[in-house]
Amino acid sequence: MIENKPITLNLKIIIILFLFQLSRTSQSSHPKPPPIPILPIPKAHQISWQNSEMALFLHFGPNTYTNSEWGTGHVDPSVFNPTLLNATQWVAVAKDSGFKRVVLTAKHHDGFCLWPSKYTDYSVKSSPWRNGSGDIVAELAEAARNAGLELGLYLSPWDRHEHCYGQTLEYNEFYMGQMTELLTRYGEIKYIFLDGAKGDGEKDMEYFFDDWFSLFHQLQPGASIFSDAGPDTRWVGNEAGVAGTTCWSLFNCSAIKIGADNDPIYTMEGDIFGHDWAPPQCDVSIRPGWFWHASEKPKSAMSLLDLYYKSVGRNCPLLLNVPPNSSGLISDEDIQVLKEFSDLRKSIFSRNIAKSALLSASSTRGDPNDSQFGPKNVIEEGLYTYWAPDQGQQSDWTLYLKFQQVITFNVLELQEPIQMGQRVIEFHLDMSDENGKWQHVVSGTTVGYRRLLLFPTVKSHLLRLVIDKSRVCPLISHLGIYMDSYSVSPHVSDTRTTSKFINDLVFRRTAYNQSQSASI
């Protein structure tokens, strides 16, 4: 029989120390959870829309044949006869040029419908095209589906042909009936484009936008709805294809009236204190007009590249109009420009120089040896991996990139994981000179889904990205360093100008941090 002896004091101490170390090891083996998102944040279909970055707009109808931009609504349908129409060609041009969506003007202001609506005879069924049995929306929907592209539609609220236009209740029922046709006949619709256009003599005509939006989301829950005021994506405030150098997805939709003369600065910049997630969209035409006109020529590929920096590169998806011609095809000269535009983008952005860098950071959330939130995440593609600094280090948010040899570059790309909210207010990039001193390269004011900054060409082997101001602890999902050998002058250069919405930021940010610092 073994005699029970009391455990010695030394053995007790050893056991206690062992259990303490085991507890620490157990705790450190669990990864740090992600930061809490800062509201507002995007819905899934809004993230999908921003992921697409570019969509091809297709203005087509009787205006194509009458050399008009705004039709009267009284043109004989017999003028519409695109004998060579080929929606597969439209989609192929879009896909080959790097566009992920196509958006069709199913009905413009003249009221002529590109599908056989049962609510009016003023449509393709009254034209000689396809002997009156054609349906352009159906042909485009099938072509887009076969090519893996997403479909969007524009149904003009203003209808210069419909006799009940001007009678608010009757016309709203008419409009919702036509939109129901479009949203139930052609499969999945990913984008709905609206404006608030009205005739000069119809100022009392009221559009029931809230009712429309509810119906659209019910019939197509995956669609993003565009208008001056959202609800899903807002107008940037111009048709030049240019977003503001400060560009928030945050917005107050209730502050904007659809179709009215709204504050252009507010629509361009957004609102750092906005309660809604409504990112802006840039719309612009490749030609001077929105419809095809034989006398007009397309913009150059370099002009489109400039627009790309100023739209997609400023947190703003680009809706580029490329109108089919009177034969029903996209013109060869437009196709050539789009190909050159695509080649330029591929040449510049196909090689991320940052991937060859040794990355480090001023701090990392959780265990520095754990790669979950480490700085290496910023060279991965996608929104769902990101660098997160230690939330306790609010005075130093810096990423360092060290290269084995001197690199030459003139483009900086940044992305935030927008599913966590838009955070970054101001940032700048520095480089080390030959004497080891930091020299300023470029500054920016917002990031969002994607930010591109073009600046005069520089050379260095050591860079640092500094987040100067952020709503809360900043998160960076992607960082790119590129060389643009084509853009001679820096079209995109941000200065440290302060947005009117940032002027009262200090006390509001302080108040927010005091209430959230324990959890963010």
Side-chain angles (χ1 to χ4, degrees):
M1 182 174 179
I2 300 176
E3 181 180 355
N4 290 324
K5 295 183 179 180
I7 301 176
T8 65
L9 180 62
N10 288 340
L11 185 57
K12 286 183 179 180
I13 294 174
I14 292 173
I15 292 173
I16 291 171
L17 289 173
F18 173 76
L19 291 175
F20 176 71
Q21 184 61 37
L22 183 63
S23 173
R24 291 189 61 187
T25 302
S26 175
Q27 291 175 5
S28 64
S29 66
H30 295 292
K32 190 79 171 177
I36 294 175
I38 178 171
L39 299 177
I41 59 174
K43 300 179 178 66
H45 61 266
Q46 292 175 306
I47 294 178
S48 175
W49 168 235
Q50 288 210 268
N51 274 333
S52 69
E53 291 196 353
M54 297 193 304
L56 205 68
F57 213 178
L58 299 159
H59 274 66
F60 190 53
N63 293 347
T64 307
Y65 300 88
T66 60
N67 199 33
S68 305
E69 284 293 305
W70 282 9
T72 64
H74 302 293
V75 171
D76 193 310
S78 64
V79 305
F80 187 79
N81 191 19
T83 54
L84 300 179
L85 187 143
N86 186 347
T88 299
Q89 187 241 18
W90 303 353
V91 169
V93 170
K95 187 171 184 177
D96 292 346
S97 304
F99 293 78
K100 297 177 182 178
R101 293 186 176 187
V102 288
V103 182
L104 176 68
T105 56
K107 182 184 80 171
H108 204 254
H109 306 328
D110 61 355
F112 186 85
C113 300
L114 298 186
W115 81 103
S117 173
K118 66 183 179 182
Y119 296 101
T120 181
D121 291 330
Y122 198 57
S123 74
V124 287
K125 67 185 176 184
S126 298
S127 77
W129 176 69
R130 300 275 200 268
N131 295 317
S133 61
D135 186 337
I136 294 177
V137 179
E139 293 190 20
L140 181 60
E142 181 181 8
R145 188 162 47 247
N146 291 340
L149 265 61
E150 296 171 343
L151 177 64
L153 296 172
Y154 167 51
L155 183 70
S156 170
W158 185 20
D159 190 321
R160 304 185 75 179
H161 177 83
E162 177 52 38
H163 67 87
C164 72
Y165 187 85
Q167 302 172 46
T168 293
L169 180 58
E170 188 176 351
Y171 181 73
N172 274 271
E173 291 176 345
F174 171 85
Y175 185 88
M176 293 176 76
Q178 286 198 323
M179 187 60 93
T180 298
E181 289 181 328
L182 291 173
L183 300 185
T184 57
R185 289 184 182 179
Y186 302 105
E188 188 175 23
I189 306 299
K190 297 294 288 186
Y191 184 68
I192 301 168
F193 185 101
L194 293 176
D195 54 33
K198 295 180 182 179
D200 291 337
E202 303 290 351
K203 297 302 182 184
D204 293 333
M205 176 68 201
E206 182 182 355
Y207 300 141
F208 296 166
F209 285 114
D210 289 340
D211 295 317
W212 296 2
F213 296 161
S214 295
L215 177 68
F216 302 165
H217 276 148
Q218 179 187 96
L219 298 178
Q220 291 286 346
S224 288
I225 301 172
F226 164 89
S227 79
D228 294 353
D232 299 313
T233 169
R234 73 181 193 265
W235 189 38
V236 77
N238 65 74
E239 292 183 342
V242 176
T245 54
T246 294
C247 193
W248 291 98
S249 294
L250 283 58
F251 199 64
N252 281 327
C253 295
S254 60
I256 299 297
K257 185 175 181 180
I258 302 174
D261 292 329
N262 298 296
D263 181 356
I265 301 298
Y266 189 75
T267 56
M268 283 189 77
E269 288 193 353
D271 188 344
I272 190 173
F273 306 118
H275 300 296
D276 303 307
W277 185 276
Q281 171 196 267
C282 286
D283 56 325
V284 64
S285 184
I286 195 172
R287 290 167 173 256
W290 290 91
F291 287 88
W292 178 86
H293 306 294
S295 62
E296 295 180 351
K297 301 297 180 183
K299 295 176 172 64
S300 68
M302 285 302 301
S303 295
L304 296 185
L305 179 62
D306 182 43
L307 290 173
Y308 184 79
Y309 278 111
K310 294 176 178 177
S311 56
V312 174
R314 293 179 180 174
N315 186 39
C316 193
L318 175 64
L319 182 60
L320 180 65
N321 181 63
V322 182
N325 60 32
S326 56
S327 296
L329 299 172
I330 294 177
S331 299
D332 290 342
E333 54 192 352
D334 295 35
I335 294 174
Q336 180 61 33
V337 168
L338 290 172
K339 182 183 183 305
E340 293 171 2
F341 175 43
S342 176
D343 290 343
L344 285 171
R345 298 195 319 276
K346 289 177 183 177
S347 177
I348 296 167
F349 299 108
S350 61
R351 177 175 175 259
N352 183 3
I353 303 172
K355 289 187 175 182
S356 64
L358 178 64
L359 289 129
S360 59
S362 54
S363 67
T364 298
R365 183 181 179 89
D367 185 352
N369 298 317
D370 182 1
S371 61
Q372 184 183 8
F373 302 112
K376 291 183 178 179
N377 287 336
V378 302
I379 58 173
E380 301 294 330
E381 300 291 339
L383 297 175
Y384 297 97
T385 55
Y386 50 85
W387 166 62
D390 183 356
Q391 63 269 35
Q393 302 295 320
Q394 295 193 15
S395 60
D396 186 7
W397 298 318
T398 307
L399 279 170
Y400 298 92
L401 294 85
K402 185 176 182 180
F403 299 87
Q404 292 184 344
Q405 57 189 15
V406 171
I407 61 166
T408 303
F409 65 100
N410 60 2
V411 178
L412 170 67
E413 175 190 35
L414 293 176
Q415 287 187 283
E416 291 182 272
I418 57 174
Q419 73 277 5
M420 305 295 288
Q422 190 175 356
R423 298 168 176 244
V424 175
I425 298 169
E426 290 183 7
F427 64 92
H428 73 273
L429 181 71
D430 294 333
M431 68 175 185
S432 176
D433 64 16
E434 295 178 351
N435 298 317
K437 294 183 178 179
W438 290 112
Q439 302 293 333
H440 179 77
V441 177
V442 70
S443 298
T445 52
T446 44
V447 176
Y449 174 76
R450 193 176 186 196
R451 191 61 195 267
L452 295 171
L453 292 177
L454 176 65
F455 41 85
T457 302
V458 294
K459 297 181 179 181
S460 184
H461 75 287
L462 182 61
L463 310 176
R464 69 176 180 187
L465 173 73
V466 181
I467 309 300
D468 300 295
K469 293 181 182 179
S470 186
R471 295 171 67 214
V472 288
C473 186
L475 307 173
I476 301 296
S477 60
H478 188 68
L479 185 152
I481 300 291
Y482 305 97
M483 182 63 209
D484 178 349
S485 302
Y486 309 97
S487 302
V488 177
S489 59
H491 345 284
V492 182
S493 58
D494 279 4
T495 57
R496 285 179 176 270
T497 54
T498 302
S499 162
K500 68 177 182 178
F501 304 113
I502 299 179
N503 289 336
D504 59 346
L505 175 66
V506 175
F507 73 87
R508 296 189 72 162
R509 177 174 181 246
T510 301
Y512 184 90
N513 283 343
Q514 287 175 349
S515 64
Q516 296 291 322
S517 59
S519 59
I520 299 297

